[in-house]
Amino acid sequence: MLAKRIIPCLDVKDGTTVKGVQFVNFRNAGDPVALGKQYSEMGADELVYLDITASFEGRKTFTDLVRRIAAEVSIPFTVGGGIHELSDVERLLAAGADKVSVNSSALRRPELITEIATRFGVQECVCAIDARCEEDGHWRCYLNGGRVPTERGLFEWAHEAQERGAGEILFTSMNHDGSKQGFAIEALGRLHDELSIPIIASGGAGCKEDFLNVFEQAHVDAALAASVFHFGEIPMAELKQYLADHGVNVRQTVKR
Amino acid sequence: MIAIVKYNAGNIYSVYCACQRLGYEPVITDDVATLQSADKVIFPGVGDARAAMDYLNQVGLSSVIRGLKQPVLGICVGMQLLCRHSEEGDVDCLGVFDAPVEKFRPTDPSFKVPQMGWNTVQSLRSPLFADVAEQSYVYYVHSYRVPVCADTIAQTDYCGAYSAALHRDNFYATQFHPEKSGSVGEQILKNFLAL
């Protein structure tokens, strides 16, 4: 049976991991390659690296980094941030990334998804969506890491992304992100039910039960988190064991 | 010497890196003499079957690959191209394995296509899977699959059983990505390179 995936997300700036990664007894927390290897050994199913560098020089550093990750990490990884056109995708895939994640640039120019899918295949393109549930219950998509509201609704945009050839939807609920109160179960469940491509849940993970709930209730294919992993609050192997004990099909690599 | 077939398909660099992690220094090439004289040939692939076949036919690599005598490992679309025919673009392929490539047609909508992620392999019967346990997890990304056939040496279940790996004569192939399958994948690549 296809396993539910657990995906740590790493923010990278100028070639270094940011967001204060604090593993116990782990000295290389700032090195995205060492960190990725560590996560892979702990049983992560996939990794997401987000480039939050703004400068042109930083982009080149990130490409070099992608090449080093590909050389040393033996599980799939997705890269995102700063992907505006097909040549960005080409450069990152050639450097060894397995998938690219597009967000604001696809909202601004939806044809980008079509172009990536046509040129590289649907499996290469993850459509990341940041959305907030407004007071009237409408889920609105945001640009630029949640800073700029758009006229797009979450479900409408997710459907269009699928039609255009996105291979997965990575949905981050801005209402839940950073709250550590659990994922946006209802919206995620609706995405899962309405779409035929895999859904990755993001935003709100605080404890192991949150992962269990999102898999059991929203039936998503994967769950992504950052700080709970980076700060060692939820050890990967322990999370996998917990999910397995509760009947969720997960891949366990670390024998306990 | 390990040769990786260079053509218009993705993930070639990942395969190269995986071989390097095992201590090999492969060459990525489309040179016929190099491919024919290599000890092992890896035929990777991510992308569209029709585009890949058109390219291979155009540059004359189809007959070269079909005629290779040393151990060959097809990966993902590489495996599908070694089959008889692919539904993806309705294209005739290399025909090493007498099996068709068909699209996943889930009767249950909870099965998403592409299948993306880690699934188990079972009914393992080949030296390719030496020291690999039944029910080990490997990484898949695909929308098309090969049914279980005479050449099947491993199976995976997703909307029914299909071929996770194939073997005929000197040709081996996996639908999953050993280069992305952690330590299990490394063992499988190691087994192939030791054949």
Side-chain angles (χ1 to χ4, degrees):
Chain A
M1 221 162 79
L2 187 64
K4 300 291 188 186
R5 287 171 281 156
I6 304 291
I7 308 175
C9 178
L10 297 88
D11 285 354
V12 176
K13 189 172 188 184
D14 299 322
T16 307
T17 316
V18 295
K19 261 196 189 169
V21 178
Q22 298 184 346
F23 278 129
V24 184
N25 297 327
F26 189 59
R27 291 173 184 282
N28 296 317
D31 177 7
V33 180
L35 195 54
K37 273 179 82 169
Q38 178 91 349
Y39 274 132
S40 165
E41 280 157 22
M42 292 160 111
D45 298 304
E46 226 175 286
L47 301 167
V48 170
Y49 286 92
L50 281 185
D51 180 21
I52 59 169
T53 313
S55 67
F56 178 76
E57 293 74 26
R59 294 266 176 268
K60 192 181 170 302
T61 310
F62 189 67
T63 309
D64 293 340
L65 176 68
V66 169
R67 207 169 283 116
R68 284 176 52 222
I69 298 165
E72 297 202 34
V73 174
S74 61
I75 59 169
F77 68 99
T78 300
V79 297
I83 296 167
H84 302 290
E85 47 197 82
L86 217 48
S87 61
D88 296 320
V89 179
E90 191 148 27
R91 173 170 48 85
L92 292 165
L93 292 180
D98 295 289
K99 300 180 246 184
V100 294
S101 163
V102 291
N103 192 335
S104 302
S105 51
L107 263 175
R108 287 199 187 92
R109 198 172 69 82
E111 297 76 27
L112 181 61
I113 295 175
T114 320
E115 290 166 13
I116 297 171
T118 308
R119 171 70 181 83
F120 301 102
V122 293
Q123 73 282 347
E124 305 291 342
C125 183
V126 180
C127 180
I129 306 177
D130 298 329
R132 177 191 297 283
C133 187
E134 313 286 12
E135 278 173 11
D136 61 359
H138 174 71
W139 282 93
R140 181 190 298 279
C141 297
Y142 278 69
L143 291 168
N144 298 6
R147 286 189 288 271
V148 183
T150 72
E151 291 307 309
R152 287 280 197 164
L154 164 65
F155 300 102
E156 166 222 339
W157 173 228
H159 275 281
E160 180 176 340
Q162 171 175 292
E163 296 315 312
R164 287 186 175 277
E168 285 178 298
I169 300 289
L170 195 179
F171 164 51
T172 303
S173 162
M174 292 164 57
N175 307 69
H176 297 73
D177 200 24
S179 73
K180 300 203 173 184
Q181 298 290 310
F183 294 92
I185 301 284
E186 214 174 303
L188 284 161
R190 192 174 152 193
L191 285 173
H192 168 83
D193 291 345
E194 290 186 7
L195 300 184
S196 63
I197 53 177
I199 308 296
I200 305 169
S202 162
C207 60
K208 288 181 281 192
E209 288 77 5
D210 294 335
F211 288 90
L212 179 62
N213 290 339
V214 79
F215 288 131
E216 276 194 337
Q217 295 168 26
H219 309 287
V220 294
D221 303 272
L224 174 143
S227 58
V228 291
F229 296 133
H230 300 334
F231 291 95
E233 290 164 22
I234 306 181
M236 187 65 65
E238 208 179 295
L239 173 61
K240 292 282 189 85
Q241 185 64 49
Y242 169 84
L243 292 170
D245 290 346
H246 287 77
V248 177
N249 183 40
V250 288
R251 161 183 168 262
Q252 285 180 284
T253 50
V254 184
K255 298 278 176 273
R256 285 163 63 95
Chain B
M1 192 255 299
I2 316 286
I4 300 174
V5 182
K6 179 175 159 186
Y7 69 117
N8 65 335
N11 106 315
I12 291 179
Y13 183 63
S14 302
V15 173
Y16 173 84
C17 291
C19 293
Q20 272 199 326
R21 286 195 292 273
L22 291 170
Y24 294 88
E25 196 57 50
V27 293
I28 300 173
T29 181
D30 55 5
D31 177 67
V32 174
T34 312
L35 287 172
Q36 285 172 337
S37 63
D39 299 315
K40 306 274 163 34
V41 173
I42 300 180
F43 183 36
V46 165
D48 180 78
R50 174 159 212 119
M53 271 317 300
D54 286 350
Y55 178 86
L56 292 174
N57 288 331
Q58 189 194 323
V59 300
L61 277 176
S62 294
S63 56
V64 173
I65 294 168
R66 202 186 290 120
L68 290 172
K69 300 286 179 246
Q70 66 277 61
V72 176
L73 179 66
I75 297 175
C76 195
V77 170
M79 160 164 151
Q80 297 181 354
L81 297 179
L82 289 170
C83 291
R84 187 179 62 224
H85 181 271
S86 176
E87 200 183 320
E88 185 178 22
D90 186 22
V91 64
D92 282 333
C93 298
L94 299 172
V96 169
F97 303 113
D98 186 21
V101 181
E102 300 165 348
K103 192 162 173 59
F104 276 121
R105 288 199 177 76
T107 43
D108 174 349
S110 68
F111 286 102
K112 306 285 179 105
V113 178
Q115 173 179 223
M116 177 133 16
W118 298 80
N119 204 335
T120 53
V121 282
Q122 44 269 331
S123 307
L124 308 177
R125 49 176 197 89
S126 168
L128 195 62
F129 295 101
D131 297 321
V132 174
E134 289 276 327
Q135 306 293 336
S136 291
Y137 278 98
V138 292
Y139 185 76
Y140 280 106
V141 182
H142 62 134
S143 302
Y144 294 79
R145 56 102 174 102
V146 178
V148 172
C149 63
D151 297 333
T152 303
I153 51 168
Q155 300 182 21
T156 290
D157 207 308
Y158 193 71
C159 332
Y162 67 89
S163 295
L166 299 170
H167 170 222
R168 172 170 291 266
D169 304 325
N170 56 316
F171 287 89
Y172 295 79
T174 65
Q175 179 61 63
F176 56 85
H177 288 276
E179 77 281 11
K180 287 288 162 185
S181 296
S183 55
V184 170
E186 263 166 23
Q187 182 64 47
I188 293 166
L189 270 182
K190 203 165 134 187
N191 291 339
F192 171 73
L193 294 172
L195 281 173

